[in-house]
Amino acid sequence: MPAKTRQSLLLRLCDPADGDSWADFVGIYGPFVYSIGRGRGLQDADACDLVQDVMREVARSVSGYEPQPGTAKFRAWLGVITRRRLARFFENSRSQINGTGGTTNLLALPRVQAGEEEAAWEQEHRRHVFRWAAERVQSEFSETTWRAFWMTAIEGVSARRAAEACGISLGAVYIAKSRVVSRLRERVSQVMEADV
Amino acid sequence: MSDTPSPSEDDLRRLIEAGEQGEIDELLQADREAREGCQERLERITDDSATIDAIRGALTTEVPGSSRLLETIERLSQRGVASVVDTSPSYDDLQPWIDSSHEDGKETLDGYVLRACIGRGGMGLVFEADDVKLGHVVALKVMRPDLAREDQARERFLREGRAIAAVRHPNVVALHHVSEVDGLPYLVMEYVEGDSLDARTQNGTQMPVEEIVRIGAAVAAGLAACHEQGVIHRDIKPSNVLLGKDGAVKVSDFGLAAVASTRTLTHDGYLSGTPDYVAPERLSIGSAADERSDLFSLGCLLYTMATGEEPFGGDTPLITLHRIATDDPARVRAKNPSIPLPLEETISALMEKRPEDRPASAEAARALLLGGKVQRRRAVNRPIGVAGVVVLLSAVGLGFFTWFSSRPDASPRGVAEYGPGEAGAPDTPEAGKIVVTTAAGLERAVDEVADHGVIEIDTDGLLEVDPLYIDFRSVTITAAAGRRPVIRLKTADGATEGGAVPAYLLRLNYGTLTLVGVELQDAWERGEHSRLIEGRQGIAEDFSLLSLIDADLVVRDCRLKTETEGACLRLEPANDAELHNTQLLAPFGTAVIMDGGDEDGLTLSDCLLIGNAALVLRVEGKPSVAWRRSVVLSNIATLEMIAVRGQLTAEITDCVIQSAQALVLSTLYPPSLEHFQQRLAWQGSGNRVRGQEVILSDGDYAPSWGREIASWAVSDHSSVYGKQLFTISHHDVVARLMEGEVVESLMLSIPSR
């Protein structure tokens, strides 16, 4: 495997010449930030602005970010950026409505990350990473292979019935399932490794 | 029934990985008859339930999305990480100046026919062009239109251009002509057909010794010719050394880096390009580049040619800069033994950290390259300064801090003395002084101390305590004369297992706290606290060493240190808080968090604050902060204003302030400078300020008045530098400060006024 692909997404992101990693990053974390924003009550357009702001800030800060083993996670860092931007949105929208600074404040927002909310944030993150990986991986396989994987793994159809439905042999079904799953695992770990 | 034994899981796994579909099918066929469990094994192997469950969860849960989101993502991904922040000019920017009305489709700029864009940089675009009048090919260097709008930058560009025009030397790209068209300056230069040195040094190629010497000596000769005219290059690097097809070596881009740097100093200030060849003295505030800075860069250039590697190459510009300031690169001959010793010595001499240790001139460097003998000016290579921040701080050494130099004058207010073992609290409230020497004694004294009482700690030792809580009293906690006690929050034992994580070390609820000569700290190492708090009661950012609720505070000669994401000091609300000769170190959290209302104020003098944010302030009325002779280093923002419903008055004098990002971060996005000033009344003088962004957290939001606010920020006669050079949290200095090392000798540079 060439060195490039072994590196985690985040490390690759620090290389401005690596356009793919940026596209990957935006593909995963864009929807993630969007759904965090929507979850906090932002409208569609505002959530999109939030995505753009956060991504821009990441792009700008990424050269200054040095992952260190056992220390603050990348997601936490992303969380800080997202929270700051979110706070600004609330601040802006409130001051536009009633001309004051509003009651939502930054001190309250970090709570989003602690305790129970932390788990929700984690789950949301995982969900986005897997969803993104699935989308990417699907395009790497033939329709039949993907369908065989989908029926057996996701829908829980027996291998034999999947083989009949897809018009392939039983062995091919197992191979399809195994390959898609291991490719998914690989894709996901590339992203998750970023959380050094 | 088959004679061969049924395949193991490993066998099956191998078959699957190899894609042996036929063989698997045969096995399954046989299995069906023999029922040897082959299919069950296959089911097991392919059932990675962790991955499958996660995928199922992800794909079957509704995730919000919209076509607008898809468009946003699409747009962002197409632009790439570099272009999202890229400020380099594009051809489109020049369209207003380009005449494309020619019938034959030619595009011209001020009469020059543009053939191709051959270069693009922070400063402008370079074209290969035809000079129709004189009938030859030239290189046309056109200034960035947005830079050209700035009078200062435009004038500098033209001035420098004219200075270079005076230099005629075979090793310098000749400048034919300096001109301007509709406010857009451009240079007409000699067109060198060939490549830049860049193309030769890439891919780790080590060049032959003769080539290194030939090119190096030619660059030195070109530098000497320019230095003679008073022109400093400032940006010697392989891409600025042109190698003509005819063997000529020519230095290009003379003096122009300076034009770009006037901009980066006052504006957005992202590091443009590679800092690989920048001389260390240029990393410190206030020191100007001179001829010897070019010599350092020449040394780096030679190093790269000789070893095929950049001497300080780091993964990020920040790492590179840090290395330039502190590291000596590996010896040239260790990487390429074919380099003769004298050449290695010449390269090392050129790359000396201190300009005065380098060869005295470009001419001298050239002589060395061509066979002179290197006079070692000193025996050992040793990095300058501790690190960049110290370089920065010692730039104009005037103020001088000796932390803890002034011993607390332990003048007790009360008369009675109580040892920790003695029973009973003083019954005369105004007259209590309790002397303690142990943690248990301190814990008890805190419970028992009377209003206006004094707790004197008469030990140099470490006092490990549970959270200390005082309410409705005015209390002084002081070190005994000559003592330096450390009060540490106890966290290691079972007291916190499974329960809540303490939110403070010392809290005073209503009253006045005077703290003198002590050190407050917790036992958590970086990251430990946030890990501990996961799943427990508590919020990482809520922790603070010292917490005051509606109380007044005076701190002298103290040191508060935490590696958590919390704060050293939390004031809710601020009331009157004064800190003198005190260090608040929270490199991963916040130095001070305060709720500021009417008449609340935070006064700092001779203090050191370090934090991701130095001060996070909620503005509810008209609070004020006054900082004097202090050093404030922050990673994200020096001053972060949140929930602004009022106006903060900030009076900042004679301070050194550095922020890796914004100096002032406001969650409120003011539509104009005027609005911003309504939120923040800034009165400053005599400060040395450095931040990636001057006042805003994001200039993109206020393009029309971003420049206005930058000039407003400097109008207080502070020197403002808007360029990020170091990320303090990763800095040596912070590490040492956290260890308590350099504090005794930290020199501060407060400019005199």
Side-chain angles (χ1 to χ4, degrees):
Chain A
M1 201 187 281
K4 210 90 253 178
T5 58
R6 248 186 296 125
Q7 281 178 355
S8 74
L9 178 59
L10 183 65
L11 290 175
R12 290 194 291 128
L13 206 54
C14 298
D15 176 6
D18 191 341
D20 287 351
S21 68
W22 172 248
D24 286 353
F25 183 85
V26 173
I28 299 166
Y29 289 99
F32 177 48
V33 169
Y34 178 86
S35 73
I36 297 284
R38 290 304 297 266
R40 304 273 176 281
L42 291 189
Q43 297 300 306
D44 179 30
D46 288 340
C48 287
D49 284 351
L50 177 73
V51 169
Q52 192 164 315
D53 286 354
V54 170
M55 293 301 136
R56 185 183 290 132
E57 186 142 342
V58 167
R60 284 161 39 148
S61 322
V62 83
S63 69
Y65 178 79
E66 293 167 41
Q68 289 170 357
T71 59
K73 289 177 177 175
F74 170 66
R75 278 201 305 292
W77 180 64
L78 187 72
V80 168
I81 293 175
T82 308
R83 288 200 313 266
R84 283 178 196 283
R85 294 284 164 171
L86 259 177
R88 181 177 302 162
F89 265 93
F90 286 124
E91 200 70 50
N92 274 346
S93 56
R94 272 172 219 238
S95 57
Q96 274 159 20
I97 293 163
N98 56 23
T100 70
T103 50
T104 309
N105 61 64
L106 254 192
L107 281 188
L109 278 165
R111 288 160 210 268
V112 165
Q113 269 225 288
E116 293 166 24
E117 293 278 0
E118 168 85 6
W121 173 271
E122 285 291 313
Q123 200 188 356
E124 187 78 37
H125 174 255
R126 261 180 88 76
R127 197 174 285 154
H128 277 92
V129 171
F130 276 93
R131 178 177 280 261
W132 167 85
E135 279 166 13
R136 298 298 296 252
V137 168
Q138 183 171 3
S139 66
E140 293 171 16
F141 289 96
S142 74
E143 211 171 300
T144 313
T145 306
W146 181 261
R147 193 159 160 234
F149 152 78
W150 186 265
M151 290 179 79
T152 49
I154 307 297
E155 293 178 348
V157 173
S158 79
R160 201 161 293 281
R161 289 191 54 190
E164 281 162 20
C166 298
I168 54 176
S169 76
L170 194 53
V173 170
Y174 284 116
I175 290 173
K177 184 179 172 193
S178 162
R179 288 203 167 156
V180 172
V181 169
S182 70
R183 186 73 189 119
L184 282 168
R185 214 164 35 222
E186 202 175 296
R187 274 284 187 190
V188 165
S189 72
Q190 268 173 28
V191 177
M192 293 293 195
E193 269 169 41
D195 297 317
V196 281
Chain B
M1 192 172 143
S2 167
D3 293 337
T4 48
S6 181
S8 70
E9 284 195 11
D10 280 347
D11 295 336
L12 289 170
R13 203 170 276 129
R14 267 193 294 278
L15 288 173
I16 282 185
E17 274 161 19
E20 298 287 358
Q21 182 199 324
E23 220 169 300
I24 297 172
D25 280 333
E26 274 174 36
L27 284 168
L28 285 167
Q29 188 59 39
D31 189 53
R32 212 167 178 184
E33 290 149 16
R35 304 213 164 274
E36 284 183 336
C38 202
Q39 191 173 352
E40 284 77 5
R41 259 168 275 157
L42 274 170
E43 285 284 345
R44 261 202 307 280
I45 291 168
T46 57
D47 189 31
D48 173 353
S49 55
T51 306
I52 289 171
D53 288 350
I55 288 285
R56 193 186 291 123
L59 295 180
T60 53
T61 311
E62 198 65 37
V63 169
S66 70
S67 55
R68 195 196 299 258
L69 172 67
L70 291 178
E71 279 166 33
T72 306
I73 303 272
E74 186 66 15
R75 205 172 51 241
L76 284 166
S77 4
Q78 280 171 358
R79 282 158 72 198
V81 67
S83 65
V84 172
V85 294
D86 195 0
T87 53
S88 327
S90 74
Y91 192 66
D92 291 345
D93 298 333
L94 290 181
Q95 281 308 327
W97 285 270
I98 290 175
D99 178 5
S100 44
S101 64
H102 297 265
E103 283 173 14
D104 49 6
K106 281 180 189 165
E107 291 188 312
T108 61
L109 192 143
D110 207 16
Y112 292 90
V113 179
L114 305 178
R115 285 161 51 151
C117 181
I118 53 177
R120 200 175 97 105
M123 200 236 9
L125 292 166
V126 187
F127 294 92
E128 180 187 335
D130 278 327
D131 183 339
V132 185
K133 273 173 277 177
L134 295 176
H136 66 176
V137 182
V138 295
L140 205 64
K141 183 162 260 177
V142 187
M143 194 175 187
R144 253 166 75 174
D146 58 325
L147 275 176
R149 277 195 291 274
E150 290 168 27
D151 293 344
Q152 206 191 346
R154 194 177 66 243
E155 275 162 30
R156 193 152 177 187
F157 182 91
L158 293 169
R159 195 173 60 232
E160 297 267 5
R162 291 187 190 108
I164 305 156
V167 182
R168 292 282 159 186
H169 191 274
N171 297 119
V172 177
V173 172
L175 183 73
H176 300 313
H177 186 50
V178 182
S179 190
E180 216 173 331
V181 52
D182 296 333
L184 185 71
Y186 66 90
L187 308 178
V188 185
M189 308 180 82
E190 173 185 9
Y191 177 74
V192 180
E193 199 181 358
D195 253 331
S196 71
L197 178 57
D198 212 16
R200 300 273 300 274
T201 55
Q202 275 169 0
N203 311 320
T205 313
Q206 298 179 339
M207 293 170 65
V209 174
E210 313 78 63
E211 273 293 274
I212 298 171
V213 171
R214 185 182 75 88
I215 294 171
V219 171
L223 282 173
C226 288
H227 291 169
E228 207 168 292
Q229 298 289 330
V231 179
I232 317 253
H233 191 289
R234 294 184 176 88
D235 198 18
I236 287 286
K237 57 185 178 189
S239 58
N240 282 338
V241 175
L242 305 183
L243 305 176
K245 276 189 174 160
D246 53 0
V249 178
K250 286 173 192 281
V251 180
S252 75
D253 264 1
F254 252 95
L256 298 180
V259 178
S261 70
T262 55
R263 177 177 173 87
T264 47
L265 279 176
T266 49
H267 284 265
D268 35 300
Y270 299 102
L271 287 168
S272 53
T274 53
D276 285 291
Y277 301 83
V278 172
E281 66 270 19
R282 293 190 52 207
L283 306 184
S284 51
I285 280 183
S287 74
D290 69 7
E291 291 86 348
R292 292 167 304 184
S293 309
D294 282 349
L295 297 186
F296 182 90
S297 307
L298 171 62
C300 296
L301 194 78
L302 290 163
Y303 188 100
T304 305
M305 287 192 277
T307 64
E309 289 170 25
E310 274 155 357
F312 303 102
D315 291 337
T316 73
L318 286 178
I319 295 173
T320 304
L321 289 173
H322 192 170
R323 288 186 186 159
I324 290 173
T326 57
D327 290 4
D328 282 320
R331 291 179 49 209
V332 171
R333 274 150 55 89
K335 297 189 171 206
N336 181 357
S338 74
I339 298 294
L341 185 62
L343 180 55
E344 180 192 78
E345 286 182 341
T346 302
I347 295 173
S348 302
L350 286 166
M351 289 171 68
E352 285 287 356
K353 300 288 186 200
R354 304 190 325 162
E356 55 269 36
D357 292 332
R358 294 173 206 149
S361 66
E363 193 49 54
R366 183 169 165 271
L368 283 176
L369 281 166
L370 297 175
K373 208 168 157 55
V374 179
Q375 298 287 323
R376 299 298 289 179
R377 287 167 190 241
R378 60 192 176 91
V380 196
N381 271 358
R382 128 182 79 73
I384 47 156
V386 177
V389 168
V390 170
V391 174
L392 149 77
L393 296 179
S394 58
V396 196
L398 198 148
F400 181 48
F401 277 64
T402 311
W403 304 105
F404 294 132
S405 58
S406 51
R407 297 301 190 199
D409 53 337
S411 50
R413 302 178 59 130
V415 288
E417 296 205 5
Y418 288 83
E422 292 172 39
D427 15 43
T428 44
E430 287 80 18
K433 171 169 161 181
I434 307 176
V435 179
V436 301
T437 53
T438 63
L442 178 60
E443 285 172 357
R444 201 164 143 210
V446 162
D447 285 340
E448 294 176 353
V449 69
D451 195 15
H452 298 290
V454 175
I455 299 171
E456 186 180 285
I457 305 174
D458 193 7
T459 174
D460 276 328
L462 176 67
L463 306 174
E464 284 189 290
V465 297
D466 284 324
L468 302 171
Y469 179 82
I470 306 172
D471 60 3
F472 298 101
R473 275 167 289 175
S474 292
V475 173
T476 298
I477 299 177
T478 177
R483 297 293 199 183
R484 181 74 49 230
V486 176
I487 305 174
R488 182 186 289 170
L489 182 61
K490 193 169 16 172
T491 50
D493 67 5
T496 59
E497 287 283 321
V501 178
Y504 55 85
L505 165 56
L506 172 58
R507 171 171 284 176
L508 181 76
N509 186 5
Y510 195 74
T512 303
L513 176 68
T514 305
L515 197 64
V516 182
V518 297
E519 172 155 351
L520 302 187
Q521 54 176 240
D522 54 66
W524 292 305
E525 286 177 7
R526 183 177 178 188
E528 211 179 334
H529 177 253
S530 29
R531 280 197 296 278
L532 179 69
I533 215 149
E534 267 176 49
R536 303 274 188 87
Q537 276 179 281
I539 294 153
E541 288 92 339
D542 272 1
F543 176 77
S544 52
L545 286 171
L546 186 54
S547 157
L548 276 89
I549 298 171
D550 210 359
D552 291 334
L553 176 71
V554 178
V555 179
R556 277 204 313 271
D557 312 316
C558 287
R559 179 179 157 107
L560 281 66
K561 187 189 90 170
T562 181
E563 291 187 25
T564 66
E565 287 159 31
C568 288
L569 171 61
R570 184 183 301 268
L571 304 160
E572 297 171 312
N575 290 4
D576 262 341
E578 280 178 43
L579 281 72
H580 307 288
N581 192 36
T582 287
Q583 299 175 38
L584 303 180
L585 311 178
F588 314 114
T590 308
V592 184
I593 295 178
M594 76 183 249
D595 272 359
D598 280 336
E599 298 184 19
D600 290 341
L602 170 69
T603 304
L604 301 178
S605 67
D606 305 307
C607 287
L608 171 66
L609 269 63
I610 288 180
N612 253 334
L615 172 62
V616 172
L617 179 72
R618 189 186 339 222
V619 180
E620 288 279 346
K622 283 186 169 288
S624 63
V625 297
W627 297 355
R628 299 186 191 98
R629 297 184 307 279
S630 292
V631 177
V632 182
L633 307 177
S634 60
N635 215 3
I636 293 172
T638 303
L639 176 58
E640 178 171 342
M641 292 160 64
I642 57 175
V644 185
R645 284 189 289 188
Q647 183 190 42
L648 171 70
T649 303
E651 190 196 306
I652 316 285
T653 50
D654 301 329
C655 289
V656 174
I657 296 175
Q658 174 175 298
S659 173
Q661 289 184 29
L663 295 175
V664 178
L665 181 71
S666 170
T667 55
L668 183 100
Y669 247 91
S672 71
L673 175 61
E674 201 180 29
H675 280 79
F676 193 80
Q677 285 169 329
Q678 282 167 12
R679 303 296 184 195
L680 174 65
W682 174 287
Q683 303 156 13
S685 69
N687 301 306
R688 295 179 69 80
V689 181
R690 184 189 196 114
Q692 191 180 44
E693 296 173 35
V694 176
I695 284 285
L696 296 168
S697 55
D698 192 338
D700 299 349
Y701 273 83
S704 57
W705 55 282
R707 203 178 302 159
E708 206 183 333
I709 211 161
S711 56
W712 168 67
V714 294
S715 66
D716 70 354
H717 306 295
S718 302
S719 16
V720 173
Y721 297 81
K723 189 165 186 177
Q724 175 181 4
L725 288 179
F726 296 100
T727 306
I728 58 141
S729 69
H730 303 120
H731 222 282
D732 223 24
V733 167
V734 175
R736 283 161 181 252
L737 284 170
M738 294 301 284
E739 295 296 319
E741 264 186 46
V742 244
V743 289
E744 296 294 338
S745 61
L746 186 66
M747 294 275 292
L748 293 186
S749 54
I750 312 291
S752 58
R753 267 186 207 282

